[in-house]
Amino acid sequence: MGKVATMDFHVTSECSQECPYCWGPQDFETAVDTATALSILQKMRDSEVRRVVFTGGDPLQRADIAELIRAARDMGLEVALSTTGDKLTEEFLAATAGAIDLISLPLDGSTEEINAQTKKPGHFAAIMGALALLGRYPKVDVKLCTPVTRKNIDDVVNIAALIDRWARGVGNCVFYNVFQTFPRSMTPCRWDEWVVSDAEFERMAANIRAHGFRIQINFLTHAMLDRIYVMVFPDGSLVVPSGPDYRNLGRFLDISDLDAALERSDFAAFRHFAHSLGWGKRPTGPGLVPTLRSHLS
Ligand SMILES: C[S@@+](CC[C@H](N)C(=O)[O-])C[C@H]1O[C@@H](n2cnc3c(N)ncnc32)[C@H](O)[C@@H]1O
Ligand code: SF4
């Protein structure tokens, strides 16, 4: 296996939301066309990448996303979809769920009011609708994600409780990623209004751990989140974010040796690999003892 277990393919920067902290690509007027996107997927496969995460922006803003998902699966890649959630439909799932291993959805609050501090009105209801739909596809793993900010830090325990309740009624494997909102964005942001300190994040995490929720909760600090992502941006360039910077390594399709290119950057290969194992942990029964998927061994 190559050094890269997982690549994030930001297939568009278009999105229905305008989260003030968004670290995704912004305002790309065009994105790679279908043929180029397929070549990028094949190159990931040839580079021994195991998993592609279709992300954005919102990948469901692309008309060809179902085709890309099915092609990635046919090439033998594991497929994750990180979507804003408000465009997830029964029709889309019926056509693609068999090719998707995991769907990731953002949730910034346990109520419409709290969620709407960073998302547009109605997003909370859209996520509740998406969860109801996903419960009908138990083979698809589901991950909820919350970037923790000064606005929602006291509510994260309630979000965990909401997800835990939902998880008890469905057959899906359910994960919850709690991010310490990372101060990186392509548009200006007043980070002091949003970012929580390491100590505040750790206190919140300790409180949530003490509740003994059954779902697997991953707490991701700034130290853990930095330099672990390998991304292809909407224009087809390879990007490894580092601190506040987006390090652009050039056009992905022009890179002959991915591992060598990454060695010249400050990509944290070991932490990347450790982080990538998180998705491979699946609950095994009432005790929810995490185990690694056999294909990781
Ligand atoms: C860039 S979004 C793209 C997919 C989709 N639009 C969404 O929001 O889930 C991917 C993930 O990054 C998270 N995220 C965005 N900005 C962040 C930041 N500054 N720090 C930590 N996580 C962030 C989002 O909550 C989401 O879970
Ligand atoms: S929903 Fe996702 S891509 Fe859209 S603005 Fe928010 S974090 Fe960024």
Side-chain angles (χ1 to χ4, degrees), residues 13-19 21-24 26 56-58 84 106 119 123:
S13 63
E14 283 179 38
C15 187
S16 61
Q17 308 298 310
E18 292 173 15
C19 307
Y21 52 71
C22 180
W23 64 6
Q26 306 283 331
D58 185 1
T84 309
K119 294 283 192 280
H123 179 263

PDB file of all heavy atoms in Angstrom, residues 13-19 21-24 26 56-58 84 106 119 123, ligand 2:
ATOM      1  N   SER A  13     -16.813  23.433  -5.290  1.00  0.00           N
ATOM      2  CA  SER A  13     -16.850  24.319  -4.110  1.00  0.00           C
ATOM      3  C   SER A  13     -18.266  24.848  -3.890  1.00  0.00           C
ATOM      4  O   SER A  13     -18.505  25.592  -2.942  1.00  0.00           O
ATOM      5  CB  SER A  13     -15.859  25.485  -4.280  1.00  0.00           C
ATOM      6  OG  SER A  13     -16.231  26.291  -5.384  1.00  0.00           O
ATOM      7  N   GLU A  14     -19.191  24.431  -4.751  1.00  0.00           N
ATOM      8  CA  GLU A  14     -20.573  24.931  -4.598  1.00  0.00           C
ATOM      9  C   GLU A  14     -21.244  24.297  -3.388  1.00  0.00           C
ATOM     10  O   GLU A  14     -21.075  23.108  -3.121  1.00  0.00           O
ATOM     11  CB  GLU A  14     -21.384  24.624  -5.849  1.00  0.00           C
ATOM     12  CG  GLU A  14     -21.058  25.587  -6.976  1.00  0.00           C
ATOM     13  CD  GLU A  14     -21.837  25.278  -8.240  1.00  0.00           C
ATOM     14  OE1 GLU A  14     -23.011  24.905  -8.127  1.00  0.00           O
ATOM     15  OE2 GLU A  14     -21.243  25.419  -9.313  1.00  0.00           O
ATOM     16  N   CYS A  15     -22.026  25.094  -2.678  1.00  0.00           N
ATOM     17  CA  CYS A  15     -22.661  24.615  -1.458  1.00  0.00           C
ATOM     18  C   CYS A  15     -23.845  25.525  -1.138  1.00  0.00           C
ATOM     19  O   CYS A  15     -23.804  26.719  -1.422  1.00  0.00           O
ATOM     20  CB  CYS A  15     -21.654  24.651  -0.309  1.00  0.00           C
ATOM     21  SG  CYS A  15     -22.281  23.892   1.202  1.00  0.00           S
ATOM     22  N   SER A  16     -24.871  24.955  -0.517  1.00  0.00           N
ATOM     23  CA  SER A  16     -26.036  25.763  -0.131  1.00  0.00           C
ATOM     24  C   SER A  16     -25.762  26.600   1.120  1.00  0.00           C
ATOM     25  O   SER A  16     -26.508  27.513   1.438  1.00  0.00           O
ATOM     26  CB  SER A  16     -27.228  24.839   0.160  1.00  0.00           C
ATOM     27  OG  SER A  16     -26.907  23.967   1.242  1.00  0.00           O
ATOM     28  N   GLN A  17     -24.686  26.244   1.837  1.00  0.00           N
ATOM     29  CA  GLN A  17     -24.407  26.909   3.114  1.00  0.00           C
ATOM     30  C   GLN A  17     -23.255  27.907   2.983  1.00  0.00           C
ATOM     31  O   GLN A  17     -22.512  27.876   1.992  1.00  0.00           O
ATOM     32  CB  GLN A  17     -24.058  25.868   4.184  1.00  0.00           C
ATOM     33  CG  GLN A  17     -25.073  24.758   4.319  1.00  0.00           C
ATOM     34  CD  GLN A  17     -26.439  25.257   4.747  1.00  0.00           C
ATOM     35  OE1 GLN A  17     -26.567  26.003   5.715  1.00  0.00           O
ATOM     36  NE2 GLN A  17     -27.474  24.858   4.008  1.00  0.00           N
ATOM     37  N   GLU A  18     -23.111  28.743   4.022  1.00  0.00           N
ATOM     38  CA  GLU A  18     -21.968  29.660   4.075  1.00  0.00           C
ATOM     39  C   GLU A  18     -21.400  29.634   5.487  1.00  0.00           C
ATOM     40  O   GLU A  18     -21.422  30.644   6.192  1.00  0.00           O
ATOM     41  CB  GLU A  18     -22.408  31.079   3.695  1.00  0.00           C
ATOM     42  CG  GLU A  18     -22.804  31.221   2.250  1.00  0.00           C
ATOM     43  CD  GLU A  18     -23.411  32.591   1.938  1.00  0.00           C
ATOM     44  OE1 GLU A  18     -23.264  33.525   2.756  1.00  0.00           O
ATOM     45  OE2 GLU A  18     -24.044  32.706   0.883  1.00  0.00           O
ATOM     46  N   CYS A  19     -20.927  28.464   5.907  1.00  0.00           N
ATOM     47  CA  CYS A  19     -20.419  28.342   7.279  1.00  0.00           C
ATOM     48  C   CYS A  19     -19.219  29.289   7.439  1.00  0.00           C
ATOM     49  O   CYS A  19     -18.296  29.245   6.612  1.00  0.00           O
ATOM     50  CB  CYS A  19     -19.998  26.913   7.560  1.00  0.00           C
ATOM     51  SG  CYS A  19     -21.301  25.712   7.203  1.00  0.00           S
ATOM     52  N   TYR A  21     -16.709  29.304   9.251  1.00  0.00           N
ATOM     53  CA  TYR A  21     -15.415  28.662   9.533  1.00  0.00           C
ATOM     54  C   TYR A  21     -14.969  27.732   8.413  1.00  0.00           C
ATOM     55  O   TYR A  21     -13.963  27.041   8.547  1.00  0.00           O
ATOM     56  CB  TYR A  21     -15.527  27.831  10.823  1.00  0.00           C
ATOM     57  CG  TYR A  21     -16.708  26.878  10.776  1.00  0.00           C
ATOM     58  CD1 TYR A  21     -16.712  25.764   9.946  1.00  0.00           C
ATOM     59  CD2 TYR A  21     -17.857  27.131  11.529  1.00  0.00           C
ATOM     60  CE1 TYR A  21     -17.806  24.920   9.862  1.00  0.00           C
ATOM     61  CE2 TYR A  21     -18.958  26.276  11.461  1.00  0.00           C
ATOM     62  CZ  TYR A  21     -18.915  25.178  10.621  1.00  0.00           C
ATOM     63  OH  TYR A  21     -19.996  24.343  10.524  1.00  0.00           O
ATOM     64  N   CYS A  22     -15.689  27.667   7.302  1.00  0.00           N
ATOM     65  CA  CYS A  22     -15.478  26.596   6.312  1.00  0.00           C
ATOM     66  C   CYS A  22     -14.035  26.536   5.807  1.00  0.00           C
ATOM     67  O   CYS A  22     -13.503  27.510   5.289  1.00  0.00           O
ATOM     68  CB  CYS A  22     -16.413  26.779   5.119  1.00  0.00           C
ATOM     69  SG  CYS A  22     -16.173  25.477   3.879  1.00  0.00           S
ATOM     70  N   TRP A  23     -13.439  25.377   5.925  1.00  0.00           N
ATOM     71  CA  TRP A  23     -12.066  25.188   5.440  1.00  0.00           C
ATOM     72  C   TRP A  23     -12.041  24.522   4.060  1.00  0.00           C
ATOM     73  O   TRP A  23     -10.968  24.185   3.560  1.00  0.00           O
ATOM     74  CB  TRP A  23     -11.221  24.403   6.440  1.00  0.00           C
ATOM     75  CG  TRP A  23     -11.616  22.975   6.726  1.00  0.00           C
ATOM     76  CD1 TRP A  23     -12.586  22.242   6.115  1.00  0.00           C
ATOM     77  CD2 TRP A  23     -11.030  22.117   7.706  1.00  0.00           C
ATOM     78  NE1 TRP A  23     -12.653  20.983   6.650  1.00  0.00           N
ATOM     79  CE2 TRP A  23     -11.702  20.873   7.643  1.00  0.00           C
ATOM     80  CE3 TRP A  23     -10.002  22.260   8.636  1.00  0.00           C
ATOM     81  CZ2 TRP A  23     -11.387  19.797   8.467  1.00  0.00           C
ATOM     82  CZ3 TRP A  23      -9.691  21.192   9.446  1.00  0.00           C
ATOM     83  CH2 TRP A  23     -10.379  19.973   9.362  1.00  0.00           C
ATOM     84  N   GLY A  24     -13.194  24.330   3.472  1.00  0.00           N
ATOM     85  CA  GLY A  24     -13.257  23.733   2.135  1.00  0.00           C
ATOM     86  C   GLY A  24     -12.875  24.751   1.064  1.00  0.00           C
ATOM     87  O   GLY A  24     -12.732  25.941   1.333  1.00  0.00           O
ATOM     88  N   GLN A  26     -13.202  27.410  -1.838  1.00  0.00           N
ATOM     89  CA  GLN A  26     -14.236  28.439  -2.018  1.00  0.00           C
ATOM     90  C   GLN A  26     -14.157  29.029  -3.424  1.00  0.00           C
ATOM     91  O   GLN A  26     -13.054  29.268  -3.941  1.00  0.00           O
ATOM     92  CB  GLN A  26     -14.023  29.604  -1.024  1.00  0.00           C
ATOM     93  CG  GLN A  26     -13.939  29.183   0.437  1.00  0.00           C
ATOM     94  CD  GLN A  26     -15.294  28.868   1.032  1.00  0.00           C
ATOM     95  OE1 GLN A  26     -16.302  29.425   0.601  1.00  0.00           O
ATOM     96  NE2 GLN A  26     -15.338  27.973   1.996  1.00  0.00           N
ATOM     97  N   GLY A  56     -16.607  18.557  -0.712  1.00  0.00           N
ATOM     98  CA  GLY A  56     -16.713  19.835  -1.405  1.00  0.00           C
ATOM     99  C   GLY A  56     -16.345  20.979  -0.477  1.00  0.00           C
ATOM    100  O   GLY A  56     -15.449  20.831   0.364  1.00  0.00           O
ATOM    101  N   GLY A  57     -17.208  22.055  -0.546  1.00  0.00           N
ATOM    102  CA  GLY A  57     -18.519  22.171  -1.115  1.00  0.00           C
ATOM    103  C   GLY A  57     -19.434  20.965  -0.861  1.00  0.00           C
ATOM    104  O   GLY A  57     -19.172  20.161  -0.003  1.00  0.00           O
ATOM    105  N   ASP A  58     -20.475  20.923  -1.643  1.00  0.00           N
ATOM    106  CA  ASP A  58     -21.382  19.776  -1.544  1.00  0.00           C
ATOM    107  C   ASP A  58     -21.303  18.971  -2.835  1.00  0.00           C
ATOM    108  O   ASP A  58     -21.749  19.435  -3.894  1.00  0.00           O
ATOM    109  CB  ASP A  58     -22.817  20.249  -1.318  1.00  0.00           C
ATOM    110  CG  ASP A  58     -23.753  19.066  -1.086  1.00  0.00           C
ATOM    111  OD1 ASP A  58     -23.272  17.918  -1.095  1.00  0.00           O
ATOM    112  OD2 ASP A  58     -24.959  19.311  -0.903  1.00  0.00           O
ATOM    113  N   THR A  84     -23.431  18.052   2.414  1.00  0.00           N
ATOM    114  CA  THR A  84     -24.114  19.033   3.260  1.00  0.00           C
ATOM    115  C   THR A  84     -25.450  18.482   3.757  1.00  0.00           C
ATOM    116  O   THR A  84     -25.942  18.890   4.806  1.00  0.00           O
ATOM    117  CB  THR A  84     -24.316  20.322   2.435  1.00  0.00           C
ATOM    118  OG1 THR A  84     -23.049  20.681   1.865  1.00  0.00           O
ATOM    119  CG2 THR A  84     -24.831  21.465   3.264  1.00  0.00           C
ATOM    120  N   PRO A 106     -22.932  17.059   8.210  1.00  0.00           N
ATOM    121  CA  PRO A 106     -22.586  18.026   9.253  1.00  0.00           C
ATOM    122  C   PRO A 106     -23.790  18.356  10.131  1.00  0.00           C
ATOM    123  O   PRO A 106     -24.916  18.433   9.649  1.00  0.00           O
ATOM    124  CB  PRO A 106     -22.168  19.262   8.444  1.00  0.00           C
ATOM    125  CG  PRO A 106     -23.024  19.205   7.212  1.00  0.00           C
ATOM    126  CD  PRO A 106     -23.302  17.736   6.942  1.00  0.00           C
ATOM    127  N   LYS A 119     -25.380  27.479  10.260  1.00  0.00           N
ATOM    128  CA  LYS A 119     -25.969  26.945   9.028  1.00  0.00           C
ATOM    129  C   LYS A 119     -27.199  27.789   8.675  1.00  0.00           C
ATOM    130  O   LYS A 119     -27.706  28.544   9.503  1.00  0.00           O
ATOM    131  CB  LYS A 119     -26.401  25.481   9.226  1.00  0.00           C
ATOM    132  CG  LYS A 119     -25.239  24.504   9.473  1.00  0.00           C
ATOM    133  CD  LYS A 119     -24.507  24.186   8.182  1.00  0.00           C
ATOM    134  CE  LYS A 119     -23.547  23.017   8.279  1.00  0.00           C
ATOM    135  NZ  LYS A 119     -22.246  23.305   8.886  1.00  0.00           N
ATOM    136  N   HIS A 123     -31.591  23.854   7.735  1.00  0.00           N
ATOM    137  CA  HIS A 123     -30.575  22.804   7.583  1.00  0.00           C
ATOM    138  C   HIS A 123     -30.769  21.696   8.622  1.00  0.00           C
ATOM    139  O   HIS A 123     -30.590  20.505   8.317  1.00  0.00           O
ATOM    140  CB  HIS A 123     -29.159  23.391   7.675  1.00  0.00           C
ATOM    141  CG  HIS A 123     -28.083  22.355   7.556  1.00  0.00           C
ATOM    142  ND1 HIS A 123     -27.449  21.792   8.659  1.00  0.00           N
ATOM    143  CD2 HIS A 123     -27.550  21.726   6.472  1.00  0.00           C
ATOM    144  CE1 HIS A 123     -26.578  20.889   8.245  1.00  0.00           C
ATOM    145  NE2 HIS A 123     -26.607  20.841   6.931  1.00  0.00           N
TER     146      HIS A 123
HETATM  147  S1  SF4 B   2     -21.703  22.988   4.529  1.00  0.00           S
HETATM  148 FE1  SF4 B   2     -19.602  22.182   4.352  1.00  0.00          FE
HETATM  149  S2  SF4 B   2     -18.750  22.987   2.410  1.00  0.00           S
HETATM  150 FE2  SF4 B   2     -20.664  24.079   2.855  1.00  0.00          FE
HETATM  151  S3  SF4 B   2     -19.953  25.978   3.774  1.00  0.00           S
HETATM  152 FE3  SF4 B   2     -20.416  24.508   5.450  1.00  0.00          FE
HETATM  153  S4  SF4 B   2     -18.498  23.395   5.897  1.00  0.00           S
HETATM  154 FE4  SF4 B   2     -18.256  24.479   3.941  1.00  0.00          FE
END
